[in-house]
Amino acid sequence: MSWKRIAGLSFVTAPLSVLVGWASMRLGGTGGQEPGWTLAHIAWVVNNVMYAIVCVELYRRARDTTPGGRTLATGTLIAGVIGAGCLLIQMVIDLVVGFSTDNRTDMRALSGQIHALPGVQPAVYDVGPALLFLALVVQAIHLATQGRATALFATLVTVAVLVNGAELLVEIPLRLAQAGSALILWLAFLPVGRELLRRGPSDPTTWRTLAGWSLILAPVGQIGGWTFMRFGGNEGVEPWSTIAHSVWLIGFVLLAVACVELFRRVRSHGAGQILARVSLAVALISVAASIAEMLVDLYVLSATDDHAQLKALDQQIRGIPGAEPILYGFGTQLVYLGFLALIIQLAILKRISTTTLALVLATLVLFVSYEVLDGPSRQALMPFAVLCMWLALAPLGWRLLKPSTSPTTTSRTSSTPPSPPAASTTTAPPGS
């Protein structure tokens, strides 16, 4: 993935991750209730990394040639990255405190001990984080004065920071200033992010490598997690249960990339393309639900000390409206529907073999049987299901990992200068 694409995604999603954290933390009560408190801090960890990337991209855009301008750009970059780093440390400390304590009283006591350490309060909680927002304002104004950013961009960034700082002067219910500031900042960042994503150069080699390994390793992630869980029995014991869920988490990310690659291969028109987009959307939404399930399970494992506490917290989370069907029911199983629809389209278009289609159908039959059946005998279906899935996807992945230009083509083109029409006809289509 190119820098422009990474920076573009950071501009678009950094303020949104603040909103996600705010909603998870505040809508469950002003003090933050579990699991919202932990989910909020995880979202803010991601946000702080993205803010550092935003500061780097704003510095790259400045390109000021004057000594004073270079000093200002460099100084604000350093301040912004330090500020983002301080906020990141703050979130990590809060997560460690949350995982290390069983109740709110113990949490406050341990947090107080950390705050009392020399330099922690000013660096991590007071002055340090303020550097990030001060740097964003200075960078925005600097770019606007150079004509490299609009006055509206600088104004919105400044207003967003002032709104966020208003909480230091006025007590606002549910910290609504934080949500309002994030929305304003998103309005400022969105055009920049869209420009970066639109202009970001595609790197077919990078994508082919990522998609190729995803097609090969996605099934391996599924069987790997299943194997680690079996080490401790069907219920799983530590550390194997945590390892299993971590492997599954990686496997689901790889499966999402594999689904995108299958969609890229469809290349249809009209109703066929609409069907492909719907199928991809269904698959990705379902994969996102599976990833959320893994994150929730990892949280439950880390937040409990014994099996009884684990069961109690798990039931509490399942009792949240919508959590059971989305995270543990049809929400995580719809990926099969989207995945199958893409495979059938590719088979109809003759872009995959009937053998691949048959293997995918066998995979889905075995997976559905695994979900429907009960008892220890169902576990025997999982290795066969994953094997069929791997036999279907791995050859597609290997072909992506092969060099796009064959040796015969290279030798022929090196000896005979190709004409423009010949060059265009020998170009392999993406994902071939």
Side-chain angles (χ1 to χ4, degrees), residues 224-244 307:
W226 177 86
T227 303
F228 283 120
M229 281 295 286
R230 300 289 77 74
F231 285 169
N234 291 341
E235 295 296 330
V237 296
E238 292 296 357
W240 303 117
S241 186
T242 296
I243 295 174
H307 194 68

Side-chain angles (χ1 to χ4, degrees), residues 329-370:
F330 68 87
T332 57
Q333 296 167 5
L334 285 177
V335 63
Y336 302 141
L337 178 62
F339 184 76
L340 178 61
L342 289 170
I343 288 292
I344 291 175
Q345 278 189 277
L346 288 171
I348 293 173
L349 294 170
K350 300 187 183 303
R351 298 202 172 112
I352 60 171
S353 65
T354 54
T355 302
T356 300
L357 175 60
L359 286 168
V360 169
L361 290 174
T363 299
L364 297 183
V365 169
L366 290 169
F367 270 136
V368 171
S369 301
Y370 177 84

Side-chain angles (χ1 to χ4, degrees), residues 77-432:
L77 170 64
I78 294 172
V81 172
I82 290 176
C86 290
L87 272 173
L88 179 62
I89 294 172
Q90 182 183 140
M91 295 304 108
V92 172
I93 289 174
D94 289 350
L95 284 170
V96 171
V97 169
F99 288 146
S100 303
T101 55
D102 298 325
N103 52 63
R104 191 56 60 93
T105 302
D106 293 343
M107 183 186 294
R108 291 196 185 98
L110 180 56
S111 179
Q113 294 177 15
I114 296 174
H115 282 242
L117 294 174
V120 170
Q121 181 66 38
V124 179
Y125 292 90
D126 296 334
V127 179
L131 292 176
L132 168 64
F133 301 104
L134 178 62
L136 287 174
V137 171
V138 175
Q139 285 183 309
I141 295 175
H142 186 199
L143 288 173
T145 56
Q146 287 184 295
R148 301 186 184 277
T150 64
L152 179 61
F153 173 78
T155 301
L156 288 174
V157 172
T158 303
V159 170
V161 172
L162 291 176
V163 169
N164 195 36
E167 290 185 328
L168 299 176
L169 304 176
V170 181
E171 184 176 351
I172 302 175
L174 294 178
R175 295 197 64 180
L176 288 173
Q178 185 183 36
S181 172
L183 282 173
I184 297 170
L185 204 58
W186 182 72
L187 292 175
F189 283 177
L190 181 60
V192 181
R194 292 178 62 182
E195 175 196 350
L196 286 166
L197 292 173
R198 185 167 57 247
R199 294 185 178 181
S202 60
D203 188 350
T205 303
T206 302
W207 172 257
R208 288 171 67 92
T209 302
L210 175 62
W213 283 115
S214 296
L215 287 164
I216 295 169
L217 296 179
V220 177
Q222 298 299 312
I223 194 63
W226 177 86
T227 303
F228 283 120
M229 281 295 286
R230 300 289 77 74
F231 285 169
N234 291 341
E235 295 296 330
V237 296
E238 292 296 357
W240 303 117
S241 186
T242 296
I243 295 174
H245 283 79
S246 300
V247 172
W248 274 329
L249 179 62
I250 297 171
F252 283 124
V253 173
L254 297 176
L255 181 59
V257 176
C259 289
V260 173
E261 172 59 24
L262 294 177
F263 167 77
R264 284 162 56 91
R265 289 171 177 241
V266 172
R267 298 193 302 277
S268 186
H269 301 283
Q273 187 66 13
I274 294 175
L275 176 60
R277 290 176 179 175
V278 172
S279 302
L280 177 64
V282 170
L284 291 183
I285 291 172
S286 182
V287 169
S290 299
I291 292 174
E293 178 190 354
M294 294 302 104
L295 291 174
V296 170
D297 288 350
L298 285 170
Y299 161 72
V300 170
L301 288 167
S302 63
T304 55
D305 298 324
D306 53 51
H307 194 68
Q309 292 180 358
L310 185 149
K311 283 289 186 183
L313 182 55
D314 181 68
Q315 290 301 319
Q316 180 182 350
I317 293 174
R318 289 173 183 262
I320 298 173
E324 180 74 31
I326 293 174
L327 297 182
Y328 302 95
F330 68 87
T332 57
Q333 296 167 5
L334 285 177
V335 63
Y336 302 141
L337 178 62
F339 184 76
L340 178 61
L342 289 170
I343 288 292
I344 291 175
Q345 278 189 277
L346 288 171
I348 293 173
L349 294 170
K350 300 187 183 303
R351 298 202 172 112
I352 60 171
S353 65
T354 54
T355 302
T356 300
L357 175 60
L359 286 168
V360 169
L361 290 174
T363 299
L364 297 183
V365 169
L366 290 169
F367 270 136
V368 171
S369 301
Y370 177 84
E371 296 291 342
V372 172
L373 296 178
D374 196 8
S377 60
R378 65 193 286 261
Q379 299 296 336
L381 297 175
M382 180 58 69
F384 293 103
V386 174
L387 177 61
C388 289
M389 185 178 182
W390 187 81
L391 290 174
L393 299 183
L396 304 178
W398 288 124
R399 283 197 288 272
L400 281 172
L401 294 176
K402 289 181 180 178
S404 58
T405 305
S406 63
T408 57
T409 304
T410 303
S411 61
R412 183 192 53 176
T413 53
S414 61
S415 59
T416 304
S419 62
S424 63
T425 57
T426 57
T427 300
S432 61

